[in-house]
Amino acid sequence: MIRLLCVCLFLWSISVFSQERTAPIVFKNTALSQVLPVVEKHYDIKFSYLDALIDDKNISITILSKQSKEEILQILQQKTSLKFEFTGNNYVTITSFKKKDIISVCGYVLDESQKPIKDIRIFLKATRTNLTTNENGYFENLNVPYNSAILISAPGFRQRVLNSKSFLDEECSKIYLINVKEEILDEVLIEEYLAKGITQNKKIIHVNLKDIEVLPGRTEPDILQSIQLTPGVNNPNETATGLFVRGSTPHQNLILWNGIKTYNQGHLFGLLSAFNPYVAKEVDFSKSGVSARYGDRIAGVIDIKSEQEIAKSITGGAGLNMINADAVIHTPIIKDKVSLQLSGRRSYTDVLETFTYKKFSDRVFQNTKIAETSPLINEDNDFFFADYNANILIHPSETQKIEINTIYSKNDLNFKRSDDVDSFSDDLVTENEGYNIKWKSKYADYISLDISGYYTKYRLNYEFQTNNLGVFTEIESKDNIVTDYGAELHLNYKFSDYQNLSAGYQYSNNNTKYAFVTTTPSYELILDEDDSFLNTHSFYSEYKFEDPKNFYISLGLRLNHYTELNQSFIEPRIFIQKYVNQNLEINTSAEYRSQASSQIQESVISDLTLENEVWTLANDDVFPIISSYQFTLGSSFKKNKWYLDIDTYYKKINDITSLTAGFINPTSNTYQNGESSVIGLDFFLKKRWRKYKTWISYSYINTRNKFENINDDKFFPGNWNIEHTVKWSHFYKLKNFQFSLGWLWHTGKAFTNATGLDSAGQIVVIEFDEINGNTLPIYHRLDFSAIYDFKVGTRSNTKYRLGFSILNLYDRKNILNREFRTTNSLNNQLINSDIFSLGITPNISFRVFW
């Protein structure tokens, strides 16, 4: 009996021990640093690794007693994408994979209905070997270099290009091929419309600033200057902000920063963009066929967005060029929930004047008091600009997202000159600040709601002060303030993969002030002033439908009601794209739009003649609401790395306002209302040969204006009309080098020539030729740029970029504008001034990314 009891106890102990050994060990989203000691104890092995290598690694894994140590190491390798290698009997070294490492890959190739596809060709590019799938769609290879390309192709299916390192994530990947007959004809999506990072889809040009290649004449991806390389966009002033989109003027463009309306977009008086390209992530640019969601302007729409995803780790960068320095950082605050992006950029031109800045200042300050030869002994010119951004991203859940964005930019000029008796000073400050908060909610896969609000303020302040023996004798000042705030509710409903309906409501309140004042010790004279506000209520709806084999259509309708003016505008929008075949599509659009806020060119205070455009609101007296309709017809063709795009358009703009001074006599400040008619054609051709690509565009724009009581009420060429423009660019990549060369050629802009003057009286009266009946000489220049990307150390995640560019490589002296005007005094004198382009202008930049 005792023997039997002992045997039972022995067998029970074996059973309990066996159960303990077979009980699985489960880890769920556990730090790798906590998993490894358990594996060491369980398998009697020892790991060797750098702590930094595994600090941010969390894994989910189940350890079974029946698994061998080789099997568990293979699983750990798949879960972490790290290399686990035996370096001794029971010693395992953990390292990052390198290109020379060999891994095994396997997978199943399936079609869209999850059926296996046999006899599919698998090409391993690094070893130049081929595999084929069996009847189950299965393939494998045990000797594939890490981080190498794997091409999967079959007749009737779209080719897939995979990276071998992606096979580490799971045991055997399932790879799905798309039947080319069922796809959406590539959505006529033009990859690399201009360069890598710039694409076009349904006539919307998308710029991905994180991935953009070098462009001609630029060491850094300036947002507004990148857009100028597209056909149909002219820039007679050679500035970043002077975007004349298909015959419209710059103030007729809607430029948004994270939903914030901007009223000043330039630094250095427009030569540089005020938007930091290393903060912005993507830009959508529309010349026509604009969505009904966009209002308040009648020309191009530039919608700029910064990072919208929570930072996983601290990233950023810093750099400098011959004008300014900047730094950007994006850091997580709460893991996967909250992150913060901060940036700052400032010029150092008030401390150091580089050769690049001197070229820029020669271009900006010509024909101003700063450039004039003065008998005064002392001169001091201080100028700087700065901009700052802060963006907070909050993701409380997968269906809720909150964004808080701010932007601030400033230009500050202080110019003084004096002698022992007299002193003069010009102070010019422009500031733009904006705030936006947006709450995005997704209630299902097919319905979402966005609620947002914004506030923006723009101020221009100019003072010209005259002092005698230290006491001021006269101050001439100009002040322009725009305060704009509003809100939007946007609802989106997705019927199916091919049908979508959106609708929304927008409200804005705009308060615009301007004043021109002359002050002396004995009196204050207000030359002109205005203080007005306007509430706008807008409702919009848009329906989109796409038949993948046939066509795409977008139908939109927008209603704008301007409360104080008691006027309403119904604005239909339509865009249709017909897919003729996989290579060819045709498109057409029609739209009607209105604008209540615009700029006028002031000629009251003109001592410095910089930033002389002032914002004003529509009213019942002088400035009516501007309205415009536009029609387009075009076609695109893509085949064998050739891409051809042609667009024709007609645009009519009603109720534009201009000063008579722009055409006849600078001493007259009479406003005239009129209309503008634009006919145009855009042609674009691109071809790529491996690492080299070239593209050329041609634009024809004919702008004709007509104003009441001017030119016998007959049409005449627009002030900024440039009829023919050619842009020819080249790009070549050699390892870590990128080179870009661009040639710009266009006919001269129209101007009104002075034939003589009448100086019989005290006031000089200029006699003019036919209005805008002459053109300036032909403009052309060649720009070059190159960048070099490199790392220091093989394991470092820090990247460096060195850039070099030259504007106007052969130093062409182009005339940008020709003016005839008189001084603002009782004893007027004739001023004949030509504005010349930049001369040869080199620039150097250096940047570090982490």
Side-chain angles (χ1 to χ4, degrees):
M1 186 67 182
I2 295 176
R3 287 183 180 178
L4 179 61
L5 182 60
C6 290
V7 170
C8 290
L9 289 172
F10 176 73
L11 293 174
W12 178 79
S13 65
I14 292 176
S15 175
V16 172
F17 178 76
S18 177
Q19 289 178 14
E20 289 177 351
R21 290 285 294 172
T22 58
I25 304 173
V26 180
F27 295 99
K28 289 186 177 180
N29 196 29
T30 306
L32 183 59
S33 59
Q34 298 178 23
V35 175
L36 293 180
V38 177
V39 177
E40 287 180 329
K41 184 177 180 181
H42 195 73
Y43 289 96
D44 191 25
I45 57 178
K46 189 67 176 176
F47 290 109
S48 174
Y49 53 85
L50 296 174
D51 290 339
L53 190 65
I54 67 168
D55 278 347
D56 59 343
K57 297 286 186 181
N58 286 10
I59 65 170
S60 297
I61 188 173
T62 301
I63 302 174
L64 303 174
S65 61
K66 65 180 180 180
Q67 292 171 320
S68 66
K69 55 187 175 183
E70 289 78 11
E71 289 174 330
I72 200 65
L73 293 183
Q74 182 65 25
I75 294 172
L76 286 171
Q77 190 164 276
Q78 293 171 352
K79 296 284 186 180
T80 62
S81 296
L82 297 174
K83 183 180 178 183
F84 288 73
E85 183 180 25
F86 278 105
T87 54
N89 227 1
N90 287 318
Y91 287 90
V92 178
T93 301
I94 307 175
T95 58
S96 298
F97 278 99
K98 302 179 179 63
K99 284 189 175 182
K100 64 181 181 180
D101 291 324
I102 300 298
I103 63 173
S104 61
V105 300
C106 65
Y108 294 89
V109 180
L110 311 171
D111 64 16
E112 292 172 288
S113 60
Q114 299 192 2
K115 294 180 180 179
I117 312 174
K118 67 175 182 177
D119 299 328
I120 293 296
R121 176 176 173 264
I122 314 293
F123 178 65
L124 308 178
K125 189 174 181 181
T127 59
R128 307 198 67 80
T129 56
N130 289 288
L131 307 172
T132 55
T133 59
N134 61 18
E135 63 276 3
N136 296 319
Y138 179 78
F139 71 93
E140 70 173 20
N141 191 289
L142 304 179
N143 298 292
V144 179
Y146 177 77
N147 199 21
S148 61
I150 299 177
L151 282 70
I152 304 175
S153 58
F157 292 91
R158 179 189 283 184
Q159 186 185 68
R160 292 286 304 274
V161 180
L162 304 174
N163 193 304
S164 62
K165 66 181 180 181
S166 65
F167 286 82
L168 290 171
D169 297 339
E170 49 188 309
E171 292 185 7
C172 280
S173 304
K174 288 184 178 180
I175 303 160
Y176 295 94
L177 297 185
I178 298 174
N179 192 307
V180 292
K181 295 179 181 179
E182 298 298 328
E183 66 179 334
I184 309 175
L185 295 178
D186 204 15
E187 289 189 320
V188 198
L189 174 64
I190 308 307
E191 297 180 1
E192 298 186 11
Y193 173 65
L194 293 181
K196 184 180 178 183
I198 304 179
T199 58
Q200 180 179 249
N201 187 19
K202 298 178 177 67
K203 292 302 176 180
I204 298 175
I205 296 172
H206 179 79
V207 183
N208 184 342
L209 290 158
K210 302 294 184 183
D211 199 30
I212 194 170
E213 291 174 330
V214 66
L215 296 172
R218 307 296 162 195
T219 59
E220 297 177 297
D222 188 286
I223 295 172
L224 301 182
Q225 290 170 336
S226 299
I227 289 172
Q228 291 180 24
L229 292 176
T230 63
V233 181
N234 279 337
N235 185 1
N237 298 321
E238 211 175 49
T239 61
T241 57
L243 299 177
F244 290 76
V245 180
R246 291 183 167 177
S248 296
T249 52
H251 71 89
Q252 294 169 350
N253 298 319
L254 175 64
I255 303 180
L256 301 172
W257 173 271
N258 288 316
I260 303 169
K261 282 191 235 178
T262 62
Y263 288 86
N264 181 270
Q265 300 88 27
H267 284 319
L268 198 53
F269 305 100
L271 285 184
L272 302 173
S273 167
F275 306 114
N276 190 329
Y278 299 105
V279 178
K281 183 180 180 182
E282 57 186 31
V283 182
D284 287 330
F285 171 52
S286 301
K287 292 179 283 189
S288 60
V290 173
S291 168
R293 189 174 184 179
Y294 296 110
D296 202 41
R297 298 291 190 273
I298 63 168
V301 174
I302 303 172
D303 193 353
I304 309 169
K305 299 182 180 69
S306 59
E307 182 62 63
Q308 295 178 308
E309 297 298 326
I310 297 291
K312 301 296 183 183
S313 59
I314 298 177
T315 60
L320 77 161
N321 54 39
M322 295 296 100
I323 299 292
N324 59 261
D326 80 291
V328 181
I329 186 170
H330 190 194
T331 179
I333 304 298
I334 301 175
K335 186 177 181 181
D336 297 330
K337 297 293 183 182
V338 182
S339 67
L340 172 67
Q341 185 182 45
L342 295 171
S343 74
R345 179 171 59 163
R346 192 190 189 280
S347 68
Y348 50 84
T349 51
D350 51 334
V351 178
L352 175 65
E353 294 187 358
T354 64
F355 51 83
T356 304
Y357 173 70
K358 289 179 181 178
K359 289 290 185 179
F360 281 178
S361 62
D362 288 345
R363 158 67 183 87
V364 169
F365 297 127
Q366 59 182 305
N367 294 332
T368 68
K369 294 289 183 182
I370 293 176
E372 287 181 4
T373 302
S374 173
L376 301 181
I377 301 172
N378 303 311
E379 286 192 2
D380 185 20
N381 179 18
D382 288 331
F383 170 78
F384 78 90
F385 65 78
D387 58 67
Y388 308 97
N389 296 272
N391 307 308
I392 300 175
L393 304 175
I394 306 171
H395 292 185
S397 67
E398 293 184 0
T399 59
Q400 304 289 321
K401 295 182 179 180
I402 299 172
E403 298 176 19
I404 303 173
N405 305 287
T406 68
I407 183 172
Y408 174 81
S409 63
K410 181 178 183 178
N411 287 265
D412 194 327
L413 170 67
N414 181 255
F415 174 59
K416 298 178 181 179
R417 55 206 183 282
S418 63
D419 59 16
D420 295 335
V421 178
D422 297 315
S423 65
F424 306 91
S425 67
D426 286 278
D427 292 304
L428 176 59
V429 177
T430 61
E431 291 180 285
N432 208 132
E433 62 178 305
Y435 310 89
N436 179 61
I437 181 169
K438 180 180 288 186
W439 176 28
K440 299 180 178 180
S441 303
K442 190 173 183 180
Y443 298 101
D445 291 338
Y446 55 87
I447 188 167
S448 62
L449 176 67
D450 294 353
I451 300 175
S452 62
Y454 75 90
Y455 171 87
T456 184
K457 183 177 181 180
Y458 164 71
R459 179 167 187 177
L460 180 150
N461 181 260
Y462 169 66
E463 285 191 356
F464 174 67
Q465 181 169 330
T466 305
N467 294 286
N468 183 264
L469 297 175
V471 179
F472 96 90
T473 57
E474 185 178 81
I475 297 177
E476 293 182 345
S477 64
K478 171 174 61 176
D479 211 14
N480 187 202
I481 301 174
V482 179
T483 304
D484 188 349
Y485 63 85
E488 179 184 21
L489 185 148
H490 178 79
L491 181 67
N492 190 77
Y493 183 83
K494 189 174 183 180
F495 292 100
S496 66
D497 290 340
Y498 307 128
Q499 293 188 81
N500 188 81
L501 178 65
S502 62
Y505 164 74
Q506 294 172 346
Y507 165 77
S508 69
N509 176 286
N510 188 313
N511 182 205
T512 300
K513 306 175 184 179
Y514 68 81
F516 308 113
V517 182
T518 298
T519 305
T520 69
S522 57
Y523 68 88
E524 180 179 88
L525 175 64
I526 299 175
L527 303 175
D528 191 12
E529 68 175 346
D530 187 44
D531 184 354
S532 57
F533 68 92
L534 184 63
N535 288 284
T536 305
H537 301 270
S538 302
F539 301 87
Y540 64 88
S541 181
E542 191 166 46
Y543 171 75
K544 296 179 181 179
F545 174 80
E546 181 166 17
D547 181 344
K549 300 180 182 179
N550 195 1
F551 69 94
Y552 167 84
I553 182 169
S554 173
L555 296 172
L557 187 66
R558 183 181 180 90
L559 170 64
N560 289 331
H561 177 70
Y562 302 100
T563 305
E564 282 66 33
L565 301 177
N566 195 26
Q567 294 187 53
S568 297
F569 288 77
I570 298 176
E571 304 177 3
R573 319 275 177 88
I574 183 171
F575 177 80
I576 301 174
Q577 186 164 278
K578 170 67 177 176
Y579 307 123
V580 180
N581 56 44
Q582 189 173 354
N583 305 113
L584 177 66
E585 61 86 14
I586 57 176
N587 57 77
T588 185
S589 70
E591 59 189 289
Y592 181 71
R593 299 160 69 185
S594 63
Q595 176 174 340
S597 182
S598 57
Q599 282 183 320
I600 58 172
Q601 183 171 342
E602 68 76 18
S603 57
V604 181
I605 304 295
S606 56
D607 290 273
L608 195 62
T609 68
L610 293 172
E611 299 285 2
N612 62 342
E613 292 185 331
V614 176
W615 284 99
T616 186
L617 277 175
N619 54 43
D620 294 321
D621 184 19
V622 178
F623 303 105
I625 293 176
I626 302 172
S627 63
S628 169
Y629 56 83
Q630 180 178 191
F631 304 97
T632 70
L633 178 63
S635 179
S636 298
F637 178 81
K638 178 187 178 186
K639 190 173 184 179
N640 297 331
K641 297 183 180 180
W642 283 94
Y643 174 60
L644 172 66
D645 184 77
I646 299 175
D647 242 5
T648 59
Y649 57 90
Y650 171 75
K651 181 189 293 187
K652 181 72 177 296
I653 306 175
N654 296 314
D655 294 317
I656 58 176
T657 304
S658 181
L659 281 171
T660 307
F663 309 109
I664 302 175
N665 192 339
T667 63
S668 172
N669 290 311
T670 304
Y671 292 106
Q672 302 291 341
N673 295 325
E675 63 184 67
S676 180
S677 177
V678 185
I679 298 175
L681 177 146
D682 293 337
F683 170 91
F684 180 81
L685 179 66
K686 180 181 177 181
K687 172 62 176 175
R688 178 171 184 165
W689 292 272
R690 300 186 67 181
K691 297 181 180 181
Y692 167 74
K693 54 193 171 190
T694 182
W695 61 92
I696 188 169
S697 69
Y698 164 75
S699 295
Y700 170 77
I701 302 176
N702 188 322
T703 304
R704 313 286 291 180
N705 292 339
K706 183 173 72 171
F707 289 89
E708 298 173 1
N709 304 319
I710 297 177
N711 197 41
D712 297 325
D713 292 344
K714 295 179 182 179
F715 280 97
F716 56 88
N719 283 3
W720 303 103
N721 188 57
I722 294 177
E723 286 200 6
H724 306 280
T725 303
V726 176
K727 304 171 185 177
W728 189 14
S729 300
H730 308 262
F731 175 86
Y732 182 74
K733 186 173 183 179
L734 179 64
K735 295 184 179 180
N736 292 336
F737 285 95
Q738 296 179 32
F739 303 95
S740 188
L741 188 69
W743 186 61
L744 173 64
W745 177 98
H746 64 70
T747 52
K749 84 169 192 69
F751 77 98
T752 304
N753 196 26
T755 57
L757 54 87
D758 181 3
S759 56
Q762 289 183 320
I763 298 178
V764 175
V765 178
I766 306 174
E767 297 176 352
F768 287 96
D769 199 352
E770 180 182 354
I771 297 177
N772 289 343
N774 296 270
T775 57
L776 295 174
I778 287 174
Y779 175 103
H780 57 88
R781 79 166 197 246
L782 184 68
D783 299 333
F784 170 79
S785 58
I787 60 174
Y788 173 63
D789 295 312
F790 63 97
K791 287 185 176 182
V792 178
T794 57
R795 296 187 178 182
S796 175
N797 291 324
T798 304
K799 300 177 182 178
Y800 303 90
R801 169 169 288 184
L802 186 63
F804 173 72
S805 67
I806 301 179
L807 294 171
N808 198 359
L809 191 61
Y810 47 74
D811 202 20
R812 163 81 174 182
K813 190 173 184 179
N814 294 294
I815 300 177
L816 301 178
N817 195 25
R818 178 166 291 167
E819 295 180 350
F820 302 92
R821 56 190 176 90
T822 59
T823 56
N824 291 313
S825 64
L826 293 177
N827 185 22
N828 272 332
Q829 295 180 353
L830 176 66
I831 299 176
N832 181 351
S833 59
D834 284 343
I835 303 296
F836 291 95
S837 66
L838 277 169
I840 183 170
T841 307
N843 198 359
I844 301 172
S845 67
F846 175 76
R847 190 160 195 87
V848 55
F849 303 88
W850 61 79

